[in-house]
């Protein structure tokens, strides 16, 4: 419903995997949900027991290897989703904020991106200082990042 009313909306979420009792079927259901929903931005983290919490005593915790693999599988799927979404921005003009300048290259982010955790837009031909907004035309989408 949100995407129908706001086509350019970015929906973000974070998942924790490996909680005690999480089965292979539970994880498969999560993967189907992620691939169907196509979140604009998503994080995935491994459950780790904290001493003194009730959850640290729950049985049937997936192995560390299983949890690591699940986090990687979630993020691999999400990276593919982001790249496919980014390709749709090629040729479009987007508003960015400059976060930093490294060797004359402006490292920016769009309105969809949180600082230090999300994708960036690399702009070589703008004039702006960190903290300033600019409008740039997207020329490429490589991996998770955009280039102008």
């Amino acid at each position: 419903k949100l995407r129908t009313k706001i086509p350019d909306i970015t929906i973000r979420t974070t998942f924790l995997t490996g909680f005690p009792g999480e089965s292979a079927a539970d994880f498969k259901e999560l993967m189907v949900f992620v691939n169907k929903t196509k979140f604009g931005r998503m994080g995935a983290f491994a459950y780790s027991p904290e001493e003194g919490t009730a959850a640290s005593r729950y049985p049937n915790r997936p192995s560390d290897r299983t949890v690591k693999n699940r986090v990687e599988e979630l993020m691999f799927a999400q990276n593919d989703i982001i790249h496919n979404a980014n390709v749709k921005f090629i040729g479009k003009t987007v508003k960015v904020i400059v976060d930093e300048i490294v060797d004359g290259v402006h490292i920016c982010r769009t309105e969809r991106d949180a600082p230090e955790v999300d994708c960036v837009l690399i702009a070589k031909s703008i004039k702006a200082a960190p903290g300033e907004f600019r409008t740039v035309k997207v020329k490429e989408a490589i991996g998770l990042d955009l280039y102008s």
Side-chain angles (χ1 to χ4, degrees), residues 15-83:
F15 294 105
L16 176 128
T17 187
F19 195 80
E22 179 185 86
S23 68
D26 294 330
F27 182 73
K28 182 177 180 181
E29 182 179 345
L30 176 59
M31 287 299 299
V32 168
F33 177 66
V34 165
N35 284 306
K36 178 182 174 189
T37 307
K38 298 189 184 323
F39 293 99
R41 299 293 181 262
M42 184 194 87
F45 300 92
Y47 165 79
S48 60
E50 295 293 325
E51 189 175 323
T53 65
S56 69
R57 296 184 300 275
Y58 291 171
N60 303 321
R61 188 171 144 240
S63 72
D64 289 344
R65 177 183 281 282
T66 296
V67 175
K68 179 179 181 285
N69 289 342
R70 288 177 181 176
V71 169
E72 289 174 359
E73 189 175 345
L74 277 166
M75 292 313 300
F76 183 81
Q78 180 62 20
N79 290 349
D80 193 46
I81 290 165
I82 289 174
H83 176 72

Side-chain angles (χ1 to χ4, degrees), residues 10 19 26 38 49 51 60 81-83 87 95 100 106 109 116 122-123 128 142 145 148:
T10 297
F19 195 80
D26 294 330
K38 298 189 184 323
E51 189 175 323
N60 303 321
I81 290 165
I82 289 174
H83 176 72
V87 166
K95 183 178 180 181
E100 62 180 321
H106 291 70
R109 61 188 155 90
E116 299 181 18
I122 309 297
I142 301 173
D145 299 322
S148 73

Side-chain angles (χ1 to χ4, degrees), residues 101-106:
I101 302 170
V102 179
D103 297 328
V105 175
H106 291 70

Side-chain angles (χ1 to χ4, degrees), residues 96-113:
V96 298
I97 186 169
V98 176
D99 280 331
E100 62 180 321
I101 302 170
V102 179
D103 297 328
V105 175
H106 291 70
I107 312 300
C108 311
R109 61 188 155 90
T110 70
E111 296 169 314
R112 298 179 320 277
D113 301 306

